[in-house]
Amino acid sequence: MSTISPKKQEIIDRESRILELARQMVLSGGYHGLGLDSLATELGVSRGTIYNHFKCKEEIILALLVETMGKRRDMFQRAASYREIPRVRLAAIGVAAELFVRLYPDHFRVEQIVKSDSIWDKTTEERRALVKGCQMQCVGIVAGIVRDGVAQGHVTLPEGTSCESLVFGLWSMTEGAYSIIATSDAVAELGIHEPFPAIRTNIHRMLDGFGWLPLSSEMDFAAAMEKIVEDVFAKEFARLKQPW
Amino acid sequence: MSTISPKKQEIIDRESRILELARQMVLSGGYHGLGLDSLATELGVSRGTIYNHFKCKEEIILALLVETMGKRRDMFQRAASYREIPRVRLAAIGVAAELFVRLYPDHFRVEQIVKSDSIWDKTTEERRALVKGCQMQCVGIVAGIVRDGVAQGHVTLPEGTSCESLVFGLWSMTEGAYSIIATSDAVAELGIHEPFPAIRTNIHRMLDGFGWLPLSSEMDFAAAMEKIVEDVFAKEFARLKQPW
Amino acid sequence: MSTISPKKQEIIDRESRILELARQMVLSGGYHGLGLDSLATELGVSRGTIYNHFKCKEEIILALLVETMGKRRDMFQRAASYREIPRVRLAAIGVAAELFVRLYPDHFRVEQIVKSDSIWDKTTEERRALVKGCQMQCVGIVAGIVRDGVAQGHVTLPEGTSCESLVFGLWSMTEGAYSIIATSDAVAELGIHEPFPAIRTNIHRMLDGFGWLPLSSEMDFAAAMEKIVEDVFAKEFARLKQPW
Amino acid sequence: MSTISPKKQEIIDRESRILELARQMVLSGGYHGLGLDSLATELGVSRGTIYNHFKCKEEIILALLVETMGKRRDMFQRAASYREIPRVRLAAIGVAAELFVRLYPDHFRVEQIVKSDSIWDKTTEERRALVKGCQMQCVGIVAGIVRDGVAQGHVTLPEGTSCESLVFGLWSMTEGAYSIIATSDAVAELGIHEPFPAIRTNIHRMLDGFGWLPLSSEMDFAAAMEKIVEDVFAKEFARLKQPW
DNA sequence: AATGAATGAGCGTTCATTCAT
DNA sequence: GATGAATGAACGCTCATTCAT
């Protein structure tokens, strides 16, 4: 019988604590903000101990990224497995994406910070592949749904427009929107006090623009999305503080 | 007669050269990548000379940002002053935004890097205001066109959707799309080899989704945009290497 | 059983070594002469190691001052506790002061250098208070003895002359004399080859001038001071190379 | 006929202005406080111009010292030429010394700062000789008076005590006292609000202690000194703000 | 496995001095 | 003689990483 000794457990737990704290530090001070010294101090361990878990600073940062992207991929997968017509399943992905940034804003911010900084040179090809793989899974999931939509005749893409092109549009919109929200308070200054409903609307209008059935005018997507929340992300939703 | 001595000229030129080189350094190594020491060395001047131009590292970075944002604002203003119906003027803004990222990809990348890093703490409130002001001008220009569209009855926004909400959508889409392109090669791996036309399509479909007249199906926006390029951005277009 | 490991001991010792060396550097080159870089090099450690002991250059300099002033205060206290008539106790203080500058000439010099340079701006108020406190303790000790002398009727101060005024005189004389000796070789050039006996004489004459009993003519203070040396500062005296 | 052209005059004046300003800078920030850059800026000239007057920073500092010491020597000479009995002439020197520190506190402070810092290494032997010469003249003047006192039988020095020894005592007392006043506010904290009369008293008491005639008890030195002020330093006294 | 002292390359910045104009 | 841009050594300090204990 293999029980985990308390000692072993502590070590495992510490890894999470390291990442948790590291994320806060990156969040508040960027790449600079992550200091191995203060990280160790605040964790109550010695600098050397950190190096038993990660062989260098960049590894920690990479780990943050992997954690974040895995989390999102999991949510995407759950959303994609929702048994409904393609457009609703796409809405489910939208719900997943939104819940992700709203429940884990730190993850999202840190992801952006890390991506913009160039740690990549110092990392191994395989690591990069792992991260990219995660990203591609997310993209692939969405692409699958779009292809379903096309296959089922719910949408007909114009000449020269691929499924991936539409996926790119969805990705752009969410990435851009959440990024703008996270980076500046420009949205509030624009007078948009509830940006998330606005984002949903914009996405749906784009799909409408492609003629994807049923159109927004034909179906109550707001209601549909609330149902998705209930069916798939009840637990996550419960943790959401602000109004949907 | 006041001619500028060669010496003076060299000094003036150097300021550009500093920024130019600094941008490359930030580009390839983030905030870290900009080292005053190597900057000076590669410029062929001494460290002290740099300080005759900028009083600290942050000033240089800020100057990069100001340069970038001013450049874009200028292009937006030129686009906005295009005498056409709102939807075409919106397309003109799209052309401006696209030309900007394509002609000055380094500017765009550095802008993103700088914004995500937290140099802001070390800068004065007024500097931040200046940068934000630039951003708000861009947003304001677009909002003006949207309002024109509404005023002229070319688009009717649904209950609960403001002009700004739509602006936010356009901004999200472009920001996100260019960001994805710049940050990773995911787009190519998605099989999208001409991302820019794809972006244009996605944007137009969104506007179509809002019912903004004339719809894509009713007008050849591709042709309209090429005309915009000719009329407003001929010079810029000439410098564009890749196909439109 | 808790022994101190050799490693730990080395660290503790190093702190003294740092101060020792730092003092020599300040001595020979003033505030400038103390370079963290050369300090580390000459110590045979790295720059970083210095910073494990002192968090900045000023801290080192302050430590020098505290060390010096504490040393003197201790000697003053031992002198003041000598059980004798006030004038002899005053002589004991004189012995302490003289022994201090003669045994630790570097301490004295560095004290002067540091005080004259304006590091004070960069130090905290509390630090300054600590240093001043040390000084005030020394002054207070002397003032106590003077008050004893007055109380016991050994000296009657003229109208308008306070005990403190006399303390000020004693302090001035020693401070000035040692300072002149330390700063230049003017004393030797004046033909004074044994300045210390001269100082003692001058001080005693001043006390005689105030009519403090017993007068120099009535008592052999030279002999009394030798006794003080024996009784209170035997150990220190043994280390004195030059003749008393 | 050789008039001084306005241009030449400006250059001569500037030298004073440089020293004047340099003194203030040293005063408020020690050796560090003197920055050639800000010196030039505040003077309204270029850095290079400073170098037409002084070949390096140390030269400026040395010039400050020479200026100061010359000023004092002049006052000492005037005091020494006072036609009176030795003890009164000695008092005249005291007046000179006191007026000097009180009228030119900046000179005195800077003198101390400069002396404690080690610029000396970087200066030529001849410069040092010049400064030392000035000092020796001052000492010599006082020694002459003491010798007069001995010669005229007003004071009989004990066996083993030279005239110079007494000069050393006078010098110590004044140097120390003014130094303490200038360096800290310890004097005020001691409760001595009029330190200068206290210093005069202490000096006279020392001379009394040596039995120098007439004793303080036999002559009103306060009155004598006021007469000296009138006769020799009337002009200087007029500029003294605080009470004598 | 944990420690934390030691390292040392690297940082941004200052400033006395030089010298072409 | 005056300028001020250019210089570059030197500064105090940080911090990711190593390694003996």
Side-chain angles (χ1 to χ4, degrees):
Chain A
M1 182 183 95
S2 78
T3 34
I4 296 164
S5 80
K7 193 80 178 217
K8 292 284 177 195
Q9 188 56 48
E10 192 200 332
I11 293 172
I12 293 170
D13 289 351
R14 188 163 44 221
E15 196 136 324
S16 319
R17 291 181 52 230
I18 290 174
L19 291 179
E20 197 180 321
L21 188 49
R23 182 167 283 112
Q24 295 313 314
M25 295 176 83
V26 170
L27 193 60
S28 66
Y31 177 81
H32 291 105
L34 178 54
L36 277 280
D37 194 2
S38 34
L39 178 60
T41 303
E42 289 197 43
L43 233 71
V45 300
S46 75
R47 238 156 316 176
T49 302
I50 305 281
Y51 280 85
N52 284 335
H53 293 271
F54 301 93
K55 78 173 239 294
C56 72
K57 186 179 173 176
E58 276 73 26
E59 286 280 301
I60 296 176
I61 286 184
L62 219 57
L64 292 179
L65 208 50
V66 170
E67 209 182 27
T68 294
M69 300 187 78
K71 236 184 174 90
R72 179 169 32 222
R73 186 212 40 221
D74 293 347
M75 289 183 76
F76 270 41
Q77 281 175 337
R78 278 165 59 200
S81 64
Y82 192 54
R83 305 221 162 269
E84 254 289 1
I85 54 169
R87 179 130 187 201
V88 173
R89 288 171 66 215
L90 224 37
I93 296 286
V95 168
E98 180 178 333
L99 277 172
F100 181 79
V101 294
R102 295 182 71 176
L103 286 175
Y104 313 110
D106 297 350
H107 276 258
F108 180 74
R109 275 297 289 140
V110 169
E111 185 185 18
Q112 285 198 118
I113 291 169
V114 168
K115 275 184 175 172
S116 84
D117 225 310
S118 57
I119 329 138
W120 303 95
D121 308 337
K122 304 162 200 162
T123 53
T124 53
E125 176 54 36
E126 60 177 338
R127 287 279 188 190
R128 267 174 286 176
L130 198 143
V131 166
K132 172 159 296 173
C134 231
Q135 190 172 71
M136 281 304 164
Q137 282 181 276
C138 285
V139 171
I141 287 165
V142 181
I145 300 175
V146 173
R147 272 190 293 269
D148 285 353
V150 171
Q152 294 172 31
H154 290 196
V155 63
T156 307
L157 296 180
E159 184 78 18
T161 297
S162 62
C163 289
E164 283 72 20
S165 180
L166 209 167
V167 172
F168 178 41
L170 293 164
W171 186 8
S172 300
M173 184 85 89
T174 48
E175 182 82 12
Y178 300 142
S179 170
I180 291 167
I181 292 173
T183 311
S184 71
D185 42 10
V187 175
E189 288 176 21
L190 252 176
I192 302 173
H193 301 296
E194 292 196 322
F196 294 103
I199 296 168
R200 289 174 222 144
T201 299
N202 288 328
I203 290 174
H204 277 300
R205 293 295 172 155
M206 185 176 74
L207 294 176
D208 286 351
F210 277 99
W212 193 315
L213 301 174
L215 299 182
S216 295
S217 53
E218 297 161 354
M219 182 181 173
D220 186 348
F221 280 103
M225 286 169 104
E226 287 193 24
K227 188 163 187 316
I228 293 162
V229 164
E230 255 177 59
D231 293 350
V232 190
F233 297 111
K235 200 184 61 189
E236 281 81 2
F237 181 74
R239 293 174 38 213
L240 197 59
K241 298 303 190 304
Q242 312 95 329
W244 174 254
Chain B
M1 183 184 92
S2 78
T3 35
I4 295 165
S5 81
K7 193 81 179 207
K8 292 285 175 194
Q9 189 56 49
E10 194 201 330
I11 293 171
I12 294 170
D13 290 351
R14 190 166 39 226
E15 195 135 324
S16 318
R17 294 212 301 128
I18 290 174
L19 290 179
E20 202 179 315
L21 187 49
R23 183 168 282 112
Q24 295 312 314
M25 295 177 82
V26 170
L27 195 59
S28 68
Y31 178 79
H32 298 103
L34 177 54
L36 277 282
D37 198 359
S38 34
L39 177 60
T41 303
E42 288 196 45
L43 230 72
V45 300
S46 74
R47 233 159 324 190
T49 300
I50 305 283
Y51 281 86
N52 282 339
H53 294 270
F54 300 95
K55 73 177 238 295
C56 71
K57 186 181 176 178
E58 274 73 27
E59 286 280 302
I60 296 176
I61 286 185
L62 220 57
L64 292 179
L65 207 51
V66 169
E67 211 182 24
T68 294
M69 300 188 78
K71 241 185 171 85
R72 179 172 26 224
R73 186 210 41 215
D74 293 346
M75 290 182 74
F76 269 44
Q77 279 174 338
R78 277 165 60 200
S81 63
Y82 192 55
R83 308 220 160 270
E84 257 287 3
I85 53 169
R87 180 129 186 201
V88 172
R89 289 170 67 213
L90 224 37
I93 296 285
V95 169
E98 179 177 334
L99 277 174
F100 180 79
V101 294
R102 296 182 71 176
L103 286 175
Y104 314 110
D106 297 350
H107 277 259
F108 181 75
R109 276 298 289 140
V110 169
E111 186 185 17
Q112 285 197 117
I113 292 168
V114 168
K115 276 185 177 173
S116 84
D117 223 310
S118 53
I119 323 141
W120 303 95
D121 308 338
K122 304 164 200 162
T123 53
T124 54
E125 175 54 37
E126 61 176 335
R127 288 280 189 190
R128 265 173 286 176
L130 197 143
V131 165
K132 171 158 295 172
C134 232
Q135 190 175 69
M136 281 305 164
Q137 281 181 278
C138 286
V139 170
I141 287 166
V142 181
I145 300 175
V146 172
R147 273 190 291 268
D148 285 350
V150 171
Q152 296 172 28
H154 292 197
V155 63
T156 306
L157 297 180
E159 184 81 16
T161 297
S162 63
C163 288
E164 283 72 22
S165 181
L166 208 166
V167 172
F168 179 40
L170 293 164
W171 186 8
S172 299
M173 184 85 89
T174 49
E175 181 83 11
Y178 300 143
S179 170
I180 292 166
I181 292 174
T183 311
S184 72
D185 43 10
V187 176
E189 287 174 24
L190 252 176
I192 301 172
H193 301 296
E194 293 195 321
F196 293 103
I199 295 168
R200 289 174 225 146
T201 298
N202 288 328
I203 288 173
H204 278 299
R205 293 294 173 157
M206 186 176 75
L207 293 176
D208 286 351
F210 276 99
W212 193 316
L213 301 176
L215 299 182
S216 296
S217 52
E218 297 161 351
M219 182 182 173
D220 186 346
F221 279 103
M225 286 169 106
E226 287 194 22
K227 190 162 184 319
I228 292 163
V229 164
E230 255 177 60
D231 293 349
V232 190
F233 297 110
K235 201 184 62 189
E236 281 80 3
F237 181 72
R239 293 174 38 213
L240 198 58
K241 297 304 188 304
Q242 312 97 327
W244 174 254
Chain C
M1 179 184 94
S2 77
T3 35
I4 297 164
S5 82
K7 193 81 177 205
K8 292 284 176 195
Q9 188 56 48
E10 193 201 331
I11 293 171
I12 293 170
D13 289 351
R14 193 169 34 228
E15 196 134 323
S16 317
R17 292 210 305 126
I18 290 174
L19 291 179
E20 202 178 319
L21 188 48
R23 183 167 281 113
Q24 296 311 315
M25 295 176 82
V26 170
L27 196 59
S28 68
Y31 177 79
H32 299 102
L34 177 55
L36 277 285
D37 197 359
S38 34
L39 177 61
T41 304
E42 288 196 43
L43 231 71
V45 300
S46 74
R47 228 157 328 179
T49 301
I50 304 283
Y51 282 86
N52 282 338
H53 293 272
F54 300 93
K55 74 176 239 294
C56 72
K57 186 182 174 176
E58 275 72 27
E59 286 279 302
I60 296 177
I61 286 186
L62 221 55
L64 292 179
L65 207 50
V66 170
E67 210 182 26
T68 293
M69 299 187 79
K71 239 183 172 87
R72 180 173 25 227
R73 186 210 41 216
D74 292 346
M75 289 183 74
F76 268 43
Q77 279 174 337
R78 277 165 61 201
S81 63
Y82 192 55
R83 306 218 161 272
E84 256 286 5
I85 52 169
R87 178 128 189 203
V88 171
R89 289 170 67 213
L90 224 38
I93 296 286
V95 169
E98 180 179 334
L99 277 173
F100 180 78
V101 293
R102 297 182 70 176
L103 286 175
Y104 314 109
D106 297 352
H107 276 260
F108 180 75
R109 275 300 288 141
V110 169
E111 185 185 18
Q112 285 197 116
I113 291 169
V114 169
K115 276 184 175 172
S116 85
D117 224 311
S118 54
I119 324 141
W120 302 95
D121 308 340
K122 304 162 199 162
T123 52
T124 55
E125 176 54 36
E126 60 176 338
R127 288 280 190 189
R128 266 173 285 176
L130 197 142
V131 165
K132 172 160 294 177
C134 232
Q135 189 174 70
M136 280 304 163
Q137 283 181 278
C138 285
V139 170
I141 287 166
V142 181
I145 299 175
V146 172
R147 274 190 291 268
D148 286 350
V150 171
Q152 294 172 29
H154 291 194
V155 63
T156 306
L157 297 180
E159 185 78 17
T161 297
S162 63
C163 288
E164 282 73 21
S165 180
L166 209 167
V167 172
F168 178 40
L170 294 164
W171 186 8
S172 300
M173 184 85 89
T174 48
E175 182 82 11
Y178 300 144
S179 170
I180 292 167
I181 293 174
T183 311
S184 71
D185 41 10
V187 177
E189 287 176 21
L190 250 177
I192 301 173
H193 302 295
E194 293 196 319
F196 294 103
I199 296 167
R200 288 174 224 144
T201 298
N202 288 327
I203 289 173
H204 277 300
R205 292 295 172 155
M206 185 177 75
L207 294 177
D208 285 350
F210 277 98
W212 192 316
L213 301 175
L215 299 181
S216 296
S217 52
E218 297 160 351
M219 183 183 172
D220 187 348
F221 279 102
M225 287 169 102
E226 287 193 24
K227 190 163 184 319
I228 293 163
V229 164
E230 257 178 60
D231 293 349
V232 190
F233 297 110
K235 201 184 63 191
E236 280 82 2
F237 182 72
R239 293 174 39 212
L240 197 59
K241 296 304 187 306
Q242 312 95 328
W244 174 254
Chain D
M1 182 183 95
S2 76
T3 34
I4 297 165
S5 81
K7 193 81 177 212
K8 291 285 176 194
Q9 187 56 46
E10 193 201 332
I11 293 172
I12 293 171
D13 289 352
R14 189 163 45 222
E15 195 136 326
S16 317
R17 290 181 52 230
I18 291 175
L19 291 179
E20 199 180 320
L21 189 48
R23 182 167 285 112
Q24 295 312 314
M25 296 176 83
V26 170
L27 194 60
S28 68
Y31 177 81
H32 291 104
L34 178 55
L36 277 279
D37 195 2
S38 34
L39 178 61
T41 303
E42 290 197 43
L43 231 72
V45 300
S46 75
R47 237 157 316 174
T49 301
I50 305 280
Y51 280 85
N52 283 335
H53 293 270
F54 301 93
K55 76 174 240 294
C56 72
K57 186 180 175 177
E58 276 72 27
E59 286 280 301
I60 296 176
I61 287 184
L62 217 58
L64 292 179
L65 208 49
V66 169
E67 209 183 26
T68 294
M69 301 186 78
K71 236 184 174 89
R72 177 164 38 217
R73 186 210 40 216
D74 293 346
M75 290 182 76
F76 269 42
Q77 280 174 336
R78 278 164 60 200
S81 64
Y82 192 55
R83 305 221 161 271
E84 255 285 5
I85 54 170
R87 181 130 187 203
V88 172
R89 289 171 66 214
L90 225 37
I93 296 286
V95 169
E98 180 178 334
L99 278 173
F100 181 78
V101 294
R102 297 181 72 175
L103 287 176
Y104 314 110
D106 297 352
H107 277 260
F108 181 74
R109 275 299 289 142
V110 169
E111 185 184 18
Q112 285 198 118
I113 291 169
V114 168
K115 276 185 174 171
S116 85
D117 224 309
S118 56
I119 329 141
W120 303 94
D121 308 340
K122 304 162 199 162
T123 53
T124 54
E125 176 54 36
E126 59 177 340
R127 287 279 189 189
R128 264 173 286 176
L130 198 142
V131 165
K132 172 160 294 174
C134 231
Q135 188 173 72
M136 280 306 164
Q137 283 180 277
C138 285
V139 170
I141 287 166
V142 181
I145 300 174
V146 172
R147 271 190 294 270
D148 285 350
V150 171
Q152 295 172 29
H154 291 195
V155 63
T156 306
L157 297 180
E159 185 77 16
T161 296
S162 64
C163 288
E164 283 72 22
S165 180
L166 208 166
V167 173
F168 179 39
L170 293 164
W171 186 8
S172 301
M173 185 84 89
T174 49
E175 181 83 12
Y178 300 142
S179 170
I180 291 167
I181 292 173
T183 312
S184 71
D185 42 9
V187 176
E189 287 176 23
L190 252 176
I192 301 172
H193 301 296
E194 293 196 319
F196 293 104
I199 295 168
R200 288 174 223 146
T201 299
N202 288 327
I203 289 174
H204 277 299
R205 292 294 171 157
M206 185 176 75
L207 294 176
D208 285 351
F210 275 100
W212 192 316
L213 300 175
L215 299 182
S216 295
S217 52
E218 297 162 351
M219 184 182 171
D220 186 347
F221 279 102
M225 286 170 106
E226 288 194 22
K227 188 162 186 320
I228 293 162
V229 165
E230 255 176 61
D231 294 349
V232 190
F233 297 110
K235 201 184 63 191
E236 281 82 2
F237 181 73
R239 293 173 38 213
L240 198 59
K241 299 302 189 306
Q242 313 94 329
W244 173 255

